[in-house]
Amino acid sequence: MRHPIQRLHVCAATARVYAAASNTLHVFDGSTGALLSSWSASKSTGAAPTTSVAADTQEGNDAETNPKKKRKVQEIDAAHAKSAVKDNKSDKSRASLFSGTTTNNAVSKILTTADGKYAVIATSEDKNVTVFSTQDGKLEVVSSRTLPKRIVDLALVDKDNTILCADKFGDVFGLPFFPPASDSESTEQTTGPSEVATDNFKMDIDDKTFESEEQKQRYIEKQKAHAAREKAAAERRKRLQVEYNIPFAHDFILGHVSMLLCLSTVTLPADHPEAAGKEKTWVLTGDRDEHIRVTRYPQSYVIDGFCLGHTQFVKTMLTPSWNLTSLISGGGDEFLLVWNWRQGKVLQKVDLVAPVQGALGAETKIFVPKTGDKHEAEQVDESVFKIAVSGLWEVPTVKGVLVAVESVPALFLFSYASGSLEYTSTLALTGNVLDVAVKQNNIFVSVDPVDKAAPLVEEHMLDQAGQWTPAEGDVAATVSGAVVKAVDLDEALIAAITPNVLYPVKSLRKEYGIRDREE
Amino acid sequence: MDSAMPDASPSGSPVAKKLKLASAPTIEAPAVGPTTTTVAVPNASSGIRTGEKAQYREARKGKAELPKKKYYRQRAHANPFSDHNLDYPVHPEAQDWSVHYPAYFPAAEGSTQAKVEVADIGCGFGGLLVALAPKLPNTLMLGLEIRTQVTEYVSERISALRLQATEQKEGEEKMHHYNNISVLRANAMKFAPNLFERGQLSKMFLCFPDPHFKARKHKARIVSPGLCAEYAYILRPGGIAYTITDVEDLHNWMTHHFSEHPLFERLTEEELEGDVGVETMLDETEEGKKVTRNKGSKWISCFRRKEDPEW
């Protein structure tokens, strides 16, 4: 069965279209739609992490690596963890591991460098950041680095010399675009930890009576192991450096205690009035606890401010290229907020209920909180639609902003030409919008079509007046055709991974109904 | 945030656990069928589920006598990552401080509005706040505590003290009014920026925090590189972050991370000579007293917030 395209990207420099369906990335020529190259991330979730862990195992001691391994599997799927660990090698367990995957190692983010020569992707299950060279549209892996936590967003800074990775644990790390040569050495250093000295272990066993020599030996062994474990634990406790378990060059940039959901960077040129004569960069991070944090870069220890005003998670942010001090953000709220992010002030609250109502039809009830009560969202009927903004994209040629709401078969265009964000028009789609890529006035939209024969990608033209017309040419159709041909998955598997890969946003809403564990 | 991690030798802790288990009254569910709703199991010694605690807490509201701690105990650890069921303002301006400091809100005409300047993060049973209140008589101070019942205790304690001060008879030694301290249930690790504006605080206390020994749990510790940046955000330049702990490893950890952070510099012993914060923290916090009773060691380190660097 075909898998919809969960990620779509257009490289600004080369106009190539990148499309990711499940774990496979395709590159297409932007004008003809010809398939240039494909690449697949390893599908079996167990395989990729264990290779890296296996390397650790040889050098580290067992006590050190076993918990690590366990943890990784738990993250994948607690229900299948046990069976996966028990018989890792048999084909049968592969199958069970496979069905236990929640995302099938889907590509979760695609980026290309400004010069178009490289592409960077994040894959969800193996937590890899992979850099490709894209010479003539051929994807060649330059490097692949495994992070300890799932990657939620990527951005490029330092003129594309640093990759910023935001992880689910709330941290942002900066990785050099090309791993330095010292990386291979440092791997050995960090993975060969604490030689546990058991030789100086002394124990008074004279005052103990044993029934047999065997029992005595067992007792000694046990005590030795215990002492070794305790010693290792004490060593770890004393360590002052944070152990991120990242065996390659990286910088800690910033950390939220909340789950991060989005990351973006803004660079004000030296001649910008706010930049005071020197080019400056900021990192903006949005989290599940409604915060947007504004951090300097590379002076990332200085938080310049917060943009606080959302009442639900912040899933997506956009700084329009024609108005760099403003920021548009959206997530679990039924509105967008337009900010002056330098001052942390809300400039405008933009209602989404009316456009979404228009797209879903008048009979659909849309949830609008009436009180400040956090339980309210859970008390309403399941059938009531809760808005979750899944994406924002800019169309600089018309000074427009595209807004996608999860599980809505439409794309909303807002105009941001006059200093305020105004609803302009709705583009009706053949299925729920999954991702959008903008190539000048051509808008590519990947959809989850209701009609199982309809194409997975649509291409539309947007004119200056904000009117939509179907694009000429058949790029979308060829892209869709090639993806359908390349990615063929089991129906049950697609059903299993759909909520996590295609509709991951709505589950970010907090469930207050569940009582606190501490109480 | 009390530190309840056993600091004893590793071999000692399992024994302690066992003893605890053995002495704890076994709570059986006598003939509680699956259809019956929760039945209160009478259990005088534990106080759990008898409703005794709740009754006490309800009955003593609005009284001038100080509340008893035993009715407000709660397990020492709360997961800082879970959502809990917290009430917090969307942004600092949305917080109604007049509920907390009715004597200071709204500000008297012609004077500027006082703001919270001192925060005790993980204030526990509120010993530090109560002790600091008369020492910094007109500085607004706020305790943040994640455990509901403990927060309730501190809140009751403060209202009782305020009541005592107003009910004082003539001739008695004048008692402090305690109008300048309050407490809020909050997860400071997540929501400090929702409560405090940039540079609002002049002092911030981290007293006897949960050590979270496991290396994997480093992120749950109250001090980490990411959180230091947040503390620098809420502290004004020149403001001081105080830390105290009875766990040496944690002391080293906190000192290391604050010292490494470019916006903090450690204060020397001479600089801290006679500092009201240090003195109070050493002797007046509940944990501090406990450690003294047990003849344990206390480690202190304090850091000054530097000016933001040029850029």
Side-chain angles (χ1 to χ4, degrees):
Chain A
M1 208 184 126
R2 58 198 205 144
H3 186 294
I5 296 166
Q6 80 272 7
R7 284 290 168 269
L8 206 55
H9 175 82
V10 170
C11 172
T14 61
R16 287 179 196 136
V17 178
Y18 290 76
S22 186
N23 62 330
T24 306
L25 176 68
H26 304 276
V27 190
F28 300 93
D29 185 287
S31 48
T32 63
L35 178 63
L36 299 175
S37 173
S38 297
W39 176 86
S40 289
S42 102
K43 229 183 223 176
S44 157
T45 58
T50 34
T51 46
S52 65
V53 170
D56 294 358
T57 320
Q58 286 153 9
E59 281 158 299
N61 59 44
D62 277 337
E64 179 95 32
T65 45
N66 273 346
K68 257 193 224 165
K69 210 177 218 170
K70 218 187 275 169
R71 194 163 18 122
K72 269 189 177 136
V73 182
Q74 269 165 4
E75 270 164 21
I76 292 161
D77 189 341
H80 289 78
K82 272 184 190 156
S83 62
V85 168
K86 263 184 207 159
D87 38 17
N88 214 356
K89 278 155 206 157
S90 74
D91 279 332
K92 206 173 119 203
S93 81
R94 269 281 146 78
S96 82
L97 196 75
F98 188 72
S99 68
T101 63
T102 49
T103 67
N104 203 27
N105 205 12
V107 175
S108 56
K109 179 82 186 178
I110 309 170
L111 277 182
T112 44
T113 54
D115 59 13
K117 286 182 179 158
Y118 297 93
V120 188
I121 66 158
T123 35
S124 52
E125 210 71 53
D126 59 13
K127 311 180 185 85
N128 276 359
V129 177
T130 310
V131 177
F132 298 95
S133 76
T134 59
Q135 184 85 44
D136 305 324
K138 290 273 169 286
L139 291 170
E140 297 277 352
V141 177
V142 175
S143 72
S144 183
R145 283 167 276 186
T146 306
L147 281 128
K149 302 284 170 192
R150 211 168 274 224
I151 300 151
V152 293
D153 209 348
L154 296 173
L156 294 169
V157 282
D158 288 341
K159 307 203 160 32
D160 293 350
N161 281 313
T162 303
I163 308 169
L164 293 184
C165 301
D167 72 26
K168 217 172 170 174
F169 210 34
D171 294 325
V172 177
F173 295 102
L175 313 183
F177 197 90
F178 300 105
S182 59
D183 260 10
S184 45
E185 291 162 37
S186 70
T187 311
E188 279 165 34
Q189 276 166 16
T190 47
T191 51
S194 59
E195 282 270 317
V196 183
T198 48
D199 40 31
N200 61 357
F201 164 78
K202 286 188 195 89
M203 198 182 18
D204 191 19
I205 50 168
D206 295 338
D207 57 345
K208 281 206 186 315
T209 48
F210 295 102
E211 284 176 16
S212 66
E213 190 60 26
E214 197 187 332
Q215 193 194 23
K216 186 177 166 184
Q217 283 309 319
R218 265 210 309 274
Y219 177 79
I220 294 174
E221 282 305 311
K222 215 170 135 190
Q223 290 298 311
K224 264 189 187 165
H226 180 73
R229 263 203 311 277
E230 286 300 333
K231 191 151 185 240
E235 281 298 313
R236 273 201 299 278
R237 201 174 293 166
K238 284 207 170 63
R239 248 173 247 172
L240 296 175
Q241 295 299 338
V242 182
E243 285 179 45
Y244 295 114
N245 289 320
I246 305 180
F248 45 80
H250 66 279
D251 286 315
F252 173 85
I253 306 294
L254 61 95
H256 290 226
V257 174
S258 316
M259 185 195 292
L260 273 176
L261 299 179
C262 53
L263 167 75
S264 68
T265 61
V266 194
T267 301
L268 298 183
D271 57 358
H272 194 281
E274 293 270 349
K278 194 179 154 203
E279 188 184 273
K280 283 175 185 161
T281 302
W282 284 266
V283 178
L284 310 181
T285 38
D287 73 25
R288 186 164 162 266
D289 289 308
E290 307 99 31
H291 306 109
I292 298 170
R293 187 190 284 191
V294 180
T295 310
R296 294 180 183 177
Y297 185 87
Q299 273 183 15
S300 66
Y301 49 86
V302 183
I303 299 174
D304 259 352
F306 284 87
C307 297
L308 303 174
H310 278 285
T311 65
Q312 280 291 339
F313 61 86
V314 182
K315 172 62 188 159
T316 173
M317 298 183 291
L318 171 73
T319 307
S321 52
W322 58 93
N323 188 349
L324 287 173
T325 51
S326 73
L327 174 78
I328 304 162
S329 61
D333 284 314
E334 74 291 352
F335 50 82
L336 300 174
L337 289 177
V338 184
W339 303 87
N340 177 327
W341 60 264
R342 290 285 290 134
Q343 293 161 2
K345 292 265 181 284
V346 178
L347 301 175
Q348 198 192 344
K349 185 171 167 178
V350 186
D351 173 63
L352 289 176
V353 178
V356 172
Q357 190 84 67
L360 291 176
E363 62 278 7
T364 309
K365 269 192 199 155
I366 295 174
F367 173 69
V368 180
K370 287 175 186 65
T371 62
D373 186 3
K374 297 195 180 98
H375 297 271
E376 200 184 335
E378 283 162 70
Q379 283 156 357
V380 298
D381 201 82
E382 277 290 304
S383 65
V384 179
F385 184 81
K386 293 175 192 137
I387 290 176
V389 180
S390 57
L392 295 166
W393 300 267
E394 61 169 15
V395 191
T397 50
V398 302
K399 291 196 174 176
V401 174
L402 300 171
V403 182
V405 176
E406 193 174 77
S407 301
V408 172
L411 192 62
F412 307 104
L413 172 70
F414 286 75
S415 162
Y416 195 47
S418 57
S420 73
L421 196 62
E422 305 295 340
Y423 169 71
T424 309
S425 62
T426 298
L427 169 68
L429 300 165
T430 55
N432 294 335
V433 54
L434 298 177
D435 203 2
V436 173
V438 178
K439 185 186 137 197
Q440 304 292 326
N441 284 37
N442 292 41
I443 317 296
F444 292 94
V445 188
S446 81
V447 291
D448 181 11
V450 187
D451 172 7
K452 293 300 170 203
L456 299 173
V457 184
E458 297 182 19
E459 188 187 0
H460 298 269
M461 294 286 290
L462 184 59
D463 66 19
Q464 289 296 329
Q467 295 308 306
W468 297 90
T469 42
E472 289 166 19
D474 47 7
V475 178
T478 25
V479 168
S480 175
V483 172
V484 170
K485 208 169 133 193
V487 182
D488 186 20
L489 295 174
D490 185 54
E491 193 169 345
L493 178 65
I494 291 186
I497 64 179
T498 291
N500 293 309
V501 176
L502 307 181
Y503 301 96
V505 184
K506 68 178 173 195
S507 60
L508 296 169
R509 203 173 274 274
K510 289 179 192 172
E511 297 283 339
Y512 289 100
I514 302 161
R515 271 179 68 84
D516 288 0
R517 258 187 290 167
E518 41 130 19
E519 280 165 2
Chain B
M1 244 189 229
D2 292 5
S3 65
M5 290 294 286
D7 195 24
S9 64
S11 56
S13 53
V15 179
K17 259 182 212 161
K18 258 178 220 160
L19 279 177
K20 212 172 173 183
L21 278 178
S23 66
T26 46
I27 301 167
E28 285 166 27
V32 179
T35 47
T36 48
T37 48
T38 15
V39 175
V41 182
N43 194 324
S45 62
S46 73
I48 303 167
R49 297 185 204 179
T50 57
E52 186 201 356
K53 281 181 163 183
Q55 273 170 24
Y56 170 87
R57 297 204 300 257
E58 198 51 48
R60 65 135 279 115
K61 271 184 188 157
K63 294 207 176 125
E65 80 191 57
L66 289 174
K68 289 198 173 81
K69 252 184 236 173
K70 65 172 182 180
Y71 296 109
Y72 298 88
R73 294 233 180 257
Q74 199 174 349
R75 66 183 291 255
H77 307 281
N79 178 359
F81 303 116
S82 89
D83 288 339
H84 296 289
N85 196 347
L86 297 162
D87 268 320
Y88 48 88
V90 174
H91 48 79
E93 282 164 39
Q95 176 69 27
D96 180 9
W97 293 111
S98 66
V99 189
H100 290 273
Y101 308 99
Y104 293 87
F105 283 81
E109 238 172 270
S111 61
T112 51
Q113 177 63 61
K115 283 181 179 175
V116 174
E117 266 191 46
V118 176
D120 183 4
I121 292 175
C123 68
F125 288 92
L128 180 84
L129 286 172
V130 171
L132 269 182
K135 294 181 184 171
L136 302 167
N138 277 309
T139 306
L140 297 194
M141 296 184 266
L142 183 71
L144 302 173
E145 173 57 51
I146 198 166
R147 292 166 292 166
T148 28
Q149 291 176 28
V150 179
T151 314
E152 195 186 332
Y153 170 85
V154 181
S155 167
E156 286 293 306
R157 184 176 177 182
I158 294 169
S159 12
L161 284 168
R162 285 181 186 175
L163 205 60
Q164 282 176 16
T166 54
E167 284 174 357
Q168 258 190 323
K169 294 191 185 72
E170 289 212 15
E172 286 177 40
E173 196 194 335
K174 187 91 179 103
M175 189 183 152
H176 181 63
H177 52 71
Y178 293 100
N179 286 328
N180 59 331
I181 55 171
S182 189
V183 68
L184 196 76
R185 186 189 177 213
N187 181 348
M189 291 169 71
K190 280 184 175 180
F191 298 109
N194 292 55
L195 292 165
F196 308 117
E197 292 160 12
R198 184 180 197 183
Q200 185 175 335
L201 301 182
S202 60
K203 286 180 172 47
M204 192 191 83
F205 290 90
L206 300 169
C207 301
F208 301 98
D210 191 333
H212 288 283
F213 280 131
K214 288 180 184 166
R216 246 181 70 196
K217 291 277 174 76
H218 68 83
K219 219 164 164 200
R221 293 180 194 155
I222 196 82
V223 174
S224 65
L227 279 169
C228 281
E230 222 167 90
Y231 298 145
Y233 170 80
I234 57 174
L235 275 172
R236 68 184 61 152
I240 300 172
Y242 295 83
T243 74
I244 184 168
T245 176
D246 55 336
V247 181
E248 191 181 5
D249 291 339
L250 180 67
H251 166 72
N252 291 338
W253 169 274
M254 294 197 292
T255 309
H256 173 82
H257 286 286
F258 269 116
S259 307
E260 287 275 286
H261 199 276
L263 293 183
F264 285 101
E265 59 185 345
R266 188 166 181 188
L267 292 167
T268 60
E269 277 184 37
E270 292 81 61
E271 285 174 295
L272 290 170
E273 193 76 36
D275 186 283
V276 62
V278 172
E279 284 170 10
T280 321
M281 179 165 82
L282 255 176
D283 303 321
E284 303 286 354
T285 56
E286 256 74 7
E287 277 297 312
K289 287 179 189 165
K290 196 167 101 189
V291 176
T292 311
R293 273 201 306 278
N294 299 339
K295 303 200 169 48
S297 327
K298 287 179 244 185
W299 281 273
I300 290 177
S301 54
C302 304
F303 305 87
R304 188 189 293 119
R305 162 72 153 92
K306 296 201 277 193
E307 294 279 349
D308 287 345
E310 195 69 28
W311 93 304

